[in-house]
Amino acid sequence: MKSKTSRLDRFISQNSAFSLSDTRLLIAQKRVFLDGRVAHSIQQTVTRFTHISLDDVCLRDNKPVYIMLNKPRGVVSATKDAKHPTVLDLIQHPQKNELHIVGRLDLNTTGLVLLTNDGAWSRKISLPETKLTKTYEVTLSKPLNNEYISVFRNGIYFAYEKITTQPARLEILSEYTARLSLTEGKYHQVKRMFGYFQNEVLALHRVSVGHLSFDGLEVGHSRLFHPSTVYGHGEGAQL
Ligand code: URA
């Protein structure tokens, strides 16, 4: 998603009766405010979430929105689908049509899905170098053994992408269940990693993204969260 920033003078000329050349004077007269502070230069960069006012008239007031959803099985991680209910169908928020999904889950995978209208934030947390941990609970069709732990730690070669997966942490919970933590999100990654052992994934549930986890959020329900929560601070608020 493209980052929507623009220069202040361009924004004002496109969103008011003033021309590009009028803007310098408006700023010199301290008539323009950005996020409650007086603007000081026509070259200031404004984003789609900068609150911009001119002579006490609000020219832009977009709020970034961050929503976490406990996705049920059979709900598709898309904003539109002809066949299945989508994650957006489960969300009630006035800005829901601006949202995009950060890290999709397969149709039959359950658990934590994040949605936002803040492209800069979602791009940042999705960067490989951010190495945000995503943790899954997995139920397998065949018994697990300790070899999985070292193979997942060393990485598995994915011939299609010609890459070796990043070190992943596997905790065996019982003969057929495990908790897997990944710092990347390749296509069907969890199923393909267990596929290396010809072990079919029967159920897959994402329990956390970074430090963000459900904390009592029921299946099919959603709530707002603070974007810094994924890094270990911030608070959620019920939608
Ligand atoms: N890995 C998968 O295979 N499926 C998901 O939905 C998420 C991670």
Side-chain angles (χ1 to χ4, degrees):
M1 184 167 298
K2 212 166 157 285
S3 162
K4 295 206 175 98
T5 61
S6 51
R7 251 175 63 145
L8 180 57
D9 53 353
R10 206 157 294 138
F11 176 88
I12 290 184
S13 67
Q14 285 164 358
N15 291 278
S16 73
F18 294 97
S19 68
L20 261 183
S21 53
D22 293 333
T23 315
R24 196 181 292 277
L25 183 63
L26 294 174
I27 287 170
Q29 292 171 335
K30 301 192 189 324
R31 292 165 65 184
V32 179
F33 282 77
L34 304 183
D35 291 330
R37 292 188 182 171
V38 68
H40 54 80
S41 159
I42 55 168
Q43 289 175 19
Q44 273 181 272
T45 301
V46 292
T47 74
R48 57 186 292 233
F49 299 124
T50 309
H51 183 281
I52 305 168
S53 63
L54 167 61
D55 292 340
D56 290 331
V57 175
C58 178
L59 298 183
R60 175 183 272 174
D61 186 20
N62 282 341
K63 299 255 183 306
V65 176
Y66 309 89
I67 292 178
M68 58 195 269
L69 167 74
N70 189 350
K71 179 181 116 44
R73 242 172 203 260
V75 171
V76 69
S77 291
T79 50
K80 271 192 209 136
D81 192 85
K83 250 168 97 187
H84 301 283
T86 71
V87 290
L88 270 199
D89 294 332
L90 299 177
I91 287 168
Q92 277 110 42
H93 190 278
Q95 285 164 274
K96 79 176 208 174
N97 292 323
E98 296 172 16
L99 301 176
H100 61 269
I101 302 158
V102 192
R104 287 158 200 272
L105 293 180
D106 296 340
L107 186 66
N108 288 330
T109 302
T110 56
L112 192 58
V113 172
L114 309 185
L115 298 106
T116 183
N117 59 354
D118 183 351
W121 180 80
S122 59
R123 241 185 335 276
K124 183 167 174 228
I125 71 158
S126 307
L127 284 173
E129 51 270 36
T130 302
K131 290 196 187 298
L132 199 67
T133 303
K134 272 83 62 179
T135 300
Y136 298 85
E137 282 172 3
V138 196
T139 306
L140 285 314
S141 63
K142 293 184 195 158
L144 293 155
N145 60 55
N146 285 341
E147 192 195 342
Y148 286 66
I149 298 177
S150 52
V151 169
F152 286 4
R153 192 194 305 120
N154 294 335
I156 293 174
Y157 184 67
F158 281 177
Y160 183 75
E161 296 95 332
K162 298 193 180 65
I163 55 112
T164 299
T165 55
Q166 292 293 313
R169 184 170 185 275
L170 185 75
E171 195 186 338
I172 297 178
L173 303 174
S174 72
E175 205 177 359
Y176 292 94
T177 61
R179 191 176 293 128
L180 178 63
S181 296
L182 306 178
T183 56
E184 57 190 342
K186 304 287 176 224
Y187 182 65
H188 292 329
Q189 179 158 353
V190 176
K191 291 171 187 159
R192 290 162 77 196
M193 287 174 73
F194 286 99
Y196 174 88
F197 292 97
Q198 278 96 49
N199 199 345
E200 190 190 348
V201 171
L202 298 180
L204 183 57
H205 180 67
R206 182 153 69 194
V207 289
S208 59
V209 174
H211 284 76
L212 188 65
S213 60
F214 295 113
D215 199 16
L217 186 65
E218 283 175 43
V219 178
H221 286 227
S222 58
R223 73 157 73 110
L224 298 170
F225 68 93
H226 192 280
S228 64
T229 327
V230 296
Y231 304 112
H233 29 93
E235 280 172 24
Q238 201 73 42
L239 275 181

